[in-house]
């Protein structure tokens, strides 16, 4: 497999407040020096609590945000700081599916018009738009008579199918799925996940799948990265992460995932993380997790651990985990 997307030293800081001279008073470090690569055809899961920076990473990768620093390679080309004109050929190749299908669809547009929107921007002919929209509706499991209806006439699951059809309109290679099922009923979630999985197989798509639900991420992802307060704390294949969890934060997140068997669930030891996530404006010195980690020692409060390979392909940022070799 070859790399399709790579982030190197990615940083995204947002200014908070302004001085009289117009300079930012403080910086909210939403993403702070994150590096990873995604292989063609892979599903790369990104998990963490809300506010950990996972959505910001996704938005940077498809260049909805220009990062503060770092590099983003798409198919070998650094696109991190390209202007809008130079980005045009890449826009078609990278798309995003949003969390809330209702908020992301224009309520005044028909489904046909919503799905055709990216094709109109790309300058496609009317005839091609009509033909492609019919294909897409079929691909995502909607019916031709849905085309002239409006978003409010659909269920949450159907609206997410419209969002998926719109994202697929220009034949992208890479899609950021930003919590695509969080707003849906549990009964509908599996249908949308299966649809995304089928589409990946048929079209050779690559996904960055953002979620806070570790159950779903395990099912769909080849590899999973765990984020905490703007940094990546653990990265491994899906099986390895669940069988051999190494970072104290990942362990706590996993212990919160319910086990379907009520007996095993009752016996399970749950690790509660004390306290709230600190503000990304005012991160703790040293390890960002030190203010909540039950294993924190003096070293943790003084210096920040870097991501090191603890087992083949398994990377962890924790002073207590030995690096390989
Ligand atoms: Fe906990 Fe220290 Fe490891 Fe950070 S470096 S996760 S504070 S043990």
């Amino acid at each position: 497999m070859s790399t399709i997307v790579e982030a190197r030293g990615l940083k995204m800081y947002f200014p908070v407040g302004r001085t009289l001279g117009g300079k930012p008073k403080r910086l909210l470090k939403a993403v702070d020096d994150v590096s990873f690569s995604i292989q063609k055809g892979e599903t790369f899961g990104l998990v963490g609590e809300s506010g950990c920076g996972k959505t910001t990473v996704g938005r940077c990768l498809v260049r909805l945000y220009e990062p503060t620093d770092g590099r983003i390679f798409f198919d070998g080309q650094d696109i991190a700081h390209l202007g809008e004109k130079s980005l045009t050929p890449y826009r078609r190749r990278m798309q995003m599916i949003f969390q809330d299908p209702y908020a992301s669809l224009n309520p005044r547009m028909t489904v046909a018009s919503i799905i055709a929107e990216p094709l109109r921007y790309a300058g496609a002919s009317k005839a091609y738009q009509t033909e492609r929209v019919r294909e897409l509706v079929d691909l995502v499991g909607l019916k031709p008579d849905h085309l002239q209806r409006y978003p409010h006439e659909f269920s949450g699951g159907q609206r997410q199918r419209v969002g998926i059809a719109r994202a697929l309109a220009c034949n992208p290679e890479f899609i950021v799925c930003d919590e695509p099922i969080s707003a849906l009923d549990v009964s509908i979630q599996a249908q949308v996940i299966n649809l995304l999985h089928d589409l990946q197989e048929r079209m050779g798509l690559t996904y960055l799948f953002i979620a806070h639900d570790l159950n779903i991420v395990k099912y769909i992802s080849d590899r999973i990265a765990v984020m905490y307060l703007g940094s990546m704390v653990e990265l491994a294949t899906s099986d390895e992460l669940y069988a051999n969890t190494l970072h104290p934060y990942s362990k706590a997140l996993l212990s919160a995932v319910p086990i379907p068997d009520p007996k095993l669930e009752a016996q399970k030891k749950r690790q509660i993380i004390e306290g709230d996530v600190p503000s990304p404006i005012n991160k703790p010195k040293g390890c960002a997790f030190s203010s909540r980690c039950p294993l924190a020692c003096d070293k943790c409060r003084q210096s920040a651990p870097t991501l090191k390979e603890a087992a083949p392909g398994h990377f962890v940022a924790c002073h207590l985990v030995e690096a390989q070799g």
Side-chain angles (χ1 to χ4, degrees):
M1 275 204 286
S2 56
T3 299
I4 185 164
V5 180
E6 183 180 354
R8 261 192 233 162
L10 187 67
K11 293 182 184 173
M12 186 73 219
Y13 298 169
F14 296 100
V16 178
R18 295 266 174 199
T19 62
L20 284 177
K23 288 191 175 159
K25 272 189 184 156
R26 286 182 294 175
L27 289 172
L28 187 154
K29 297 182 176 179
V31 178
D32 201 8
D33 201 359
V34 164
S35 300
F36 62 99
S37 57
I38 305 177
Q39 309 304 306
K40 277 188 184 153
E42 178 181 36
T43 296
F44 188 96
L46 197 54
V47 296
E49 288 165 288
S50 100
C52 71
K54 52 195 192 305
T55 292
T56 307
V57 167
R59 288 176 177 235
C60 287
L61 293 190
V62 296
R63 276 300 315 277
L64 290 181
Y65 292 150
E66 181 177 355
T68 309
D69 200 4
R71 306 175 81 182
I72 298 165
F73 293 92
F74 184 84
D75 213 6
Q77 164 76 40
D78 187 356
I79 60 163
H81 303 286
L82 287 186
E84 201 46 54
K85 204 168 167 207
S86 309
L87 269 176
T88 306
Y90 296 98
R91 292 266 181 236
R92 183 192 68 70
R93 301 173 68 187
M94 324 179 280
Q95 290 292 324
M96 191 143 178
I97 297 168
F98 296 92
Q99 175 177 4
D100 182 347
Y102 199 56
S104 64
L105 304 179
N106 186 333
R108 292 190 194 85
M109 285 166 74
T110 61
V111 164
S113 194
I114 289 169
I115 298 174
E117 204 173 18
L119 298 165
R120 279 199 297 280
Y121 279 117
S125 68
K126 276 256 177 231
Y128 179 73
Q129 285 179 37
T130 308
E131 187 194 324
R132 180 76 180 135
V133 167
R134 285 195 171 270
E135 267 173 29
L136 288 160
V137 158
D138 184 49
L139 200 60
V140 300
L142 292 170
K143 298 198 178 87
D145 65 343
H146 288 142
L147 284 170
Q148 294 316 314
R149 299 202 200 158
Y150 291 86
H152 73 266
E153 297 177 64
F154 292 94
S155 66
Q158 286 174 318
R159 283 198 288 262
Q160 196 52 291
R161 285 173 194 266
V162 175
I164 293 169
R166 180 180 57 182
L168 294 175
C170 292
N171 266 319
E173 294 150 61
F174 172 59
I175 300 183
V176 171
C177 307
D178 185 9
E179 305 226 24
I181 55 163
S182 311
L184 305 179
D185 288 348
V186 176
S187 58
I188 307 296
Q189 289 183 347
Q191 291 175 16
V192 173
I193 288 289
N194 289 339
L195 173 64
L196 288 170
H197 195 69
D198 286 353
L199 292 169
Q200 181 173 42
E201 301 230 308
R202 286 165 75 165
M203 302 172 73
L205 296 166
T206 304
Y207 293 139
L208 175 74
F209 195 95
I210 299 171
H212 59 265
D213 186 329
L214 282 152
N215 266 333
I216 294 292
V217 176
K218 183 186 180 188
Y219 175 70
I220 197 167
S221 304
D222 298 296
R223 287 187 300 151
I224 297 175
V226 180
M227 281 190 75
Y228 183 78
L229 214 57
S231 301
M232 201 169 273
V233 298
E234 188 157 7
L235 165 62
T237 62
S238 178
D239 290 342
E240 166 73 7
L241 187 80
Y242 282 79
N244 183 25
T245 319
L246 294 176
H247 195 280
Y249 177 63
S250 313
K251 284 183 186 173
L253 274 188
L254 274 172
S255 82
V257 174
I259 300 173
D261 183 329
K263 261 194 187 164
L264 290 177
E265 176 64 15
Q267 290 163 7
K268 190 175 76 175
K269 275 194 184 159
R270 206 174 285 272
Q271 293 182 26
I272 310 286
I273 318 175
E274 301 288 340
D276 295 324
V277 184
S279 163
I281 301 172
N282 197 8
K283 287 193 196 183
K285 202 176 159 218
C287 174
F289 191 50
S290 59
S291 59
R292 302 171 79 199
C293 180
L295 305 174
C297 58
D298 285 349
K299 185 180 180 187
C300 305
R301 288 182 267 272
Q302 293 305 320
S303 73
T306 51
L307 209 60
K308 293 195 192 87
E309 195 166 22
H314 190 160
F315 297 84
V316 190
C318 174
H319 290 312
L320 298 190
V321 178
E322 296 279 331
Q324 206 187 32

